[in-house]
Amino acid sequence: MTEFGFARASDDVIARRGELAEQVVQALRRAGLPAFRDGGSGSPDRVGAVVHVDPDAETASAAVSVGWRCDPGVARAALDALAAGSPADAPVVRRPGSIGLRMQGALVGILLSAGIIATPEHDEMNPDHVLVFGQMADLLPALRPTFVPPGS
């Protein structure tokens, strides 16, 4: 099956990705953060950790990712400032991205402490996203990551 020209993963694969996404949501909620799956009811206005499942059969990175969504007023202020002619490096314009990048490290640390393999995404389109690969318990001990985020 194709979606927008891309092969879609099988229903079984999508279900497994959904299970991992739910584990991510629960780990973040146990840490006290608002977390939810992307696309749920009311999700465009919700703030917190947004967990996304990629339906693509051949993902270029991880099939599950997490991003931080700050209050819509923060993003609106940035857009309004740009529309009014503020430079792209103005503090009000940079604030949503700055918040996302700071939360990225926290999200990675929280997920790693919960036994979930996560790493920052190094992509210009999603510079503040976190890639999620699975549970550390599913890997052989020699293959488990030992990364500790700075400031942890």
Side-chain angles (χ1 to χ4, degrees):
M1 179 182 314
T2 63
E3 186 173 327
F4 303 111
F6 295 99
R8 186 176 188 280
S10 70
D11 290 342
D12 182 51
V13 169
I14 297 289
R16 288 178 181 243
R17 292 175 183 178
E19 290 169 7
L20 177 59
E22 194 55 38
Q23 292 170 357
V24 169
V25 167
Q26 294 308 314
L28 295 172
R29 285 181 180 167
R30 282 192 296 275
L33 294 175
F36 56 95
R37 295 275 302 271
D38 189 22
S41 74
S43 68
D45 294 331
R46 292 178 75 181
V47 299
V50 184
V51 181
H52 176 74
V53 174
D54 191 340
D56 190 359
E58 299 177 9
T59 58
S61 53
V64 176
S65 62
V66 185
W68 186 260
R69 186 180 297 156
C70 56
D71 184 86
V74 174
R76 193 171 21 257
L79 289 173
D80 290 347
L82 282 172
S86 292
D89 62 350
V92 69
V93 174
R94 295 178 50 87
R95 188 157 189 243
S98 178
I99 291 169
L101 286 173
R102 294 195 186 281
M103 288 306 297
Q104 181 187 53
L107 293 169
V108 168
I110 290 166
L111 293 173
L112 288 174
S113 72
I116 297 172
I117 302 167
T119 185
E121 182 168 3
H122 298 291
D123 178 357
E124 290 180 13
M125 296 301 293
N126 297 308
D128 60 345
H129 279 204
V130 173
L131 302 178
V132 178
F133 297 98
Q135 292 280 336
M136 283 190 225
D138 295 338
L139 290 177
L140 297 171
L143 299 176
R144 292 182 188 160
T146 58
F147 171 73
V148 177
S152 295

